[in-house]
Amino acid sequence: MADTQWRLITHGILGAAIAAYPCFWFYKQWKRPHQRVAVNQLYIHPVKSCGAISLYSARFSDYGLKLDREYMLVDAKAHRFMSQRSVPMMAVIRIVISNGLLIALAEGHPPLVITTMQDDAIMPLEEPEVDLSNAIRPCTTPQGDVIDCVLWMDHPKAQIVSAEHDAWFCKVLGKDVHLVAHLDNSRPLARDYYAPVDTVQHVAFPDGYPLLITSTASLHHLNRKLDKPVSMLRFRPNIVVEGCQPHQEDRFFDLAIGST
């Protein structure tokens, strides 16, 4: 009887300690003094797995950085998302902002206008000159069917932009694809990705998180171990900070940039 009581007491103490640890960890994070870091680079990736755009300024939306991964390529049959993991040719597709337009570029193909820029706060670091004399200019708002897509374990609804957009990407990639646009509130952030319990956070088409942050120190730390250094774009971040230790950004509890 005494042994049973002792085991119950021991298990109770152990269970209480395990339950209390997350509270203790969050308290420690909350009490930690704020560290000042600087934003080194800003990126958006308007079409998932295609080229990034380096920004001077960005705007936050309910889904992360505005225009980030708001478009996605899916195969025309299964509607499964496509990425450079399975279609390396996607790496040759550049996405640029020029003349107030969001444009897709690929060598040997005419420019494709994806949409009209509606927000002056999204300012690219460089705005290349694009010859639009032979550009393909279909609709700049999605006009196609709404379909169910497959993005890892999620099945968000998305809207096909147009048949003309599909045809351009098909020619570049040599595959039957649809260019689809994100629909509001179509993909809630899973609890496994640390969505706040009392809110419903939605995302566009990132793999999981609405905002991806890394640091210059982490990249330098990695490149010291490699024979051939890699660029920051290999990791497709949104915000790159400097002024912290390597991988310290993994433990950021919150991040304030100006009033945001």
Side-chain angles (χ1 to χ4, degrees):
M1 185 66 178
D3 289 344
T4 301
Q5 291 178 334
W6 175 249
R7 283 198 296 271
L8 289 174
I9 292 172
T10 302
H11 290 165
I13 294 173
L14 181 60
I18 293 173
Y21 178 78
C23 298
F24 175 70
W25 186 87
F26 277 106
Y27 175 77
K28 283 181 63 180
Q29 298 298 316
W30 179 64
K31 293 295 287 184
R32 287 176 62 182
H34 288 143
Q35 177 177 351
R36 185 175 295 275
V37 296
V39 174
N40 179 271
Q41 293 166 312
L42 288 171
Y43 294 106
I44 54 173
H45 310 79
V47 180
K48 183 177 177 67
S49 271
C50 293
I53 300 177
S54 181
L55 298 181
Y56 176 77
S57 66
R59 186 182 296 280
F60 278 96
S61 73
D62 293 337
Y63 306 98
L65 290 188
K66 194 168 183 181
L67 264 186
D68 184 59
R69 297 169 172 91
E70 291 189 3
Y71 295 89
M72 175 172 69
L73 290 169
V74 301
D75 69 82
K77 292 184 179 179
H79 299 166
R80 183 177 298 277
F81 86 100
M82 298 169 61
S83 74
Q84 292 181 29
R85 301 176 185 91
S86 56
V87 188
M89 276 293 293
M90 293 178 70
V92 308
I93 300 175
R94 296 171 55 211
I95 308 295
V96 302
I97 296 173
S98 181
N99 300 301
L101 302 170
L102 185 69
I103 303 170
L105 301 173
E107 188 174 351
H109 298 270
L112 172 70
V113 176
I114 297 176
T115 190
T116 302
M117 297 296 297
Q118 303 289 338
D119 195 331
D120 293 338
I122 304 174
M123 297 177 58
L125 270 180
E126 297 181 358
E127 186 169 331
E129 289 292 332
V130 177
D131 181 4
L132 297 175
S133 60
N134 65 335
I136 299 175
R137 294 172 175 262
C139 59
T140 55
T141 57
Q143 303 289 327
D145 295 337
V146 174
I147 59 175
D148 292 312
C149 300
V150 180
L151 177 51
W152 298 116
M153 300 298 290
D154 295 336
H155 295 80
K157 291 186 180 297
Q159 187 169 8
I160 296 174
V161 179
S162 78
E164 292 86 353
H165 287 86
D166 292 350
W168 189 90
F169 283 100
C170 287
K171 288 180 181 178
V172 174
L173 299 176
K175 295 179 179 292
D176 290 334
V177 302
H178 292 309
L179 177 69
V180 299
H182 164 251
L183 296 174
D184 289 347
N185 301 327
S186 64
R187 188 183 175 214
L189 181 64
R191 293 282 175 235
D192 291 345
Y193 288 118
Y194 311 108
V197 174
D198 58 344
T199 62
V200 179
Q201 170 74 52
H202 290 84
V203 291
F205 297 134
D207 283 349
Y209 300 92
L211 199 63
L212 303 178
I213 300 173
T214 189
S215 70
T216 55
S218 295
L219 182 66
H220 295 158
H221 181 70
L222 172 64
N223 280 334
R224 283 197 293 268
K225 303 177 183 180
L226 301 178
D227 294 331
K228 290 186 177 181
V230 296
S231 78
M232 186 63 77
L233 290 177
R234 178 72 64 91
F235 304 98
R236 306 185 68 78
N238 296 123
I239 299 177
V240 181
V241 299
E242 61 183 4
C244 63
Q245 297 299 313
H247 307 299
Q248 190 176 356
E249 68 273 15
D250 296 341
R251 301 185 298 276
F252 285 174
F253 189 68
D254 54 21
L255 182 67
I257 304 175
S259 60
T260 303

